[in-house]
Amino acid sequence: MGTSVISVKNLRHSYREGDGVKEVLHGINLEFGEGEIVIIMGPSGSGKSTLLKLIGAQLTLQSGDVVICGKSLKGASKSELMKMRREMGFIFQSHHLLDSITALQNVQLPMAFDPFATGESSKKRALEVLGTVGIASHAGKHPKHLSGGQRQRVAIARALVRKPKIVLADEPTASLDQHSGREVVEIIRKMAKDIGVTVVLVTHDNRILDIADRIISLVDGKLQE
């Protein structure tokens, strides 16, 4: 493993359940290296998505710490957390594309937060990334005119457009058939190796385990590597 890009330290997390509290993560310690693809597996309710959301600064830390590229999420202000989130790419099971705009415009969206990007430069960059995922010829189409696999490629392009060091993927192949799912993970594998992106991927999909450098099992909120 190269330089540690993500460091998870003694992470615990609980949710309210009825009148009580249920702890879903029990003191997790993990390191993720540069350009590494790590798959997190485990049954439903094992805490996989919670762990991913905590790493992605989408949930508030309760106990323990997550350090992203040397910066601690613990005690970070709202604006610092937002800044950190913008440095990561997110790929979800349902691709969260906006139907009212084209594939190209969907990929351009994250560039709106970049003070150095112009309309022209963000369009150029979005086209470049759509080319990387092999879908530049569909740039002008709206998502509803694309297949599931094509929509997921657009979502990957959107996750990559700001050149993040980290991409977090939650069940990225769940709604795809075997062929499309394989194409999508091959793109994910390529970006990790070519661009040095660290990929943390949560999945139930046994068909894609071969792309991982490491597979981590999460069972009842505890690690079994």
Side-chain angles (χ1 to χ4, degrees), residues 74-138:
K74 203 175 185 174
S77 68
K78 263 190 171 160
S79 65
E80 285 169 334
L81 289 173
M82 194 177 280
K83 203 175 163 197
M84 284 190 188
R85 277 197 294 272
R86 285 182 188 154
E87 286 170 14
M88 301 184 219
F90 298 92
I91 305 166
F92 307 96
Q93 176 179 344
S94 47
H95 22 73
H96 297 317
L97 298 175
L98 298 177
D99 270 329
S100 57
I101 58 178
T102 63
L104 177 67
Q105 290 164 325
N106 268 287
V107 176
Q108 272 183 278
L109 266 183
M111 303 291 282
F113 303 109
D114 187 337
F116 303 108
T118 62
E120 198 46 52
S121 72
S122 69
K123 183 180 177 182
K124 188 179 171 201
R125 171 72 187 142
L127 275 170
E128 188 184 303
V129 189
L130 283 166
T132 304
V133 299
I135 202 169
S137 58
H138 297 287

Side-chain angles (χ1 to χ4, degrees), residues 157-218:
R158 183 185 55 193
L160 287 180
V161 74
R162 296 197 62 190
K163 302 183 180 171
K165 288 192 172 69
I166 295 163
V167 168
L168 305 176
D170 196 355
E171 298 281 2
T173 60
S175 55
L176 302 176
D177 61 42
Q178 184 155 4
H179 177 69
S180 304
R182 173 46 61 183
E183 285 186 338
V184 161
V185 294
E186 285 303 337
I187 290 167
I188 292 173
R189 184 201 328 240
K190 193 172 181 316
M191 75 186 189
K193 298 308 161 207
D194 293 359
I195 318 168
V197 179
T198 300
V199 179
V200 183
L201 194 153
V202 162
T203 190
H204 278 103
D205 190 346
N206 288 323
R207 302 169 305 187
I208 67 171
L209 300 184
D210 59 308
I211 72 157
D213 296 309
R214 227 180 351 143
I215 296 170
I216 289 165
S217 236
L218 200 57

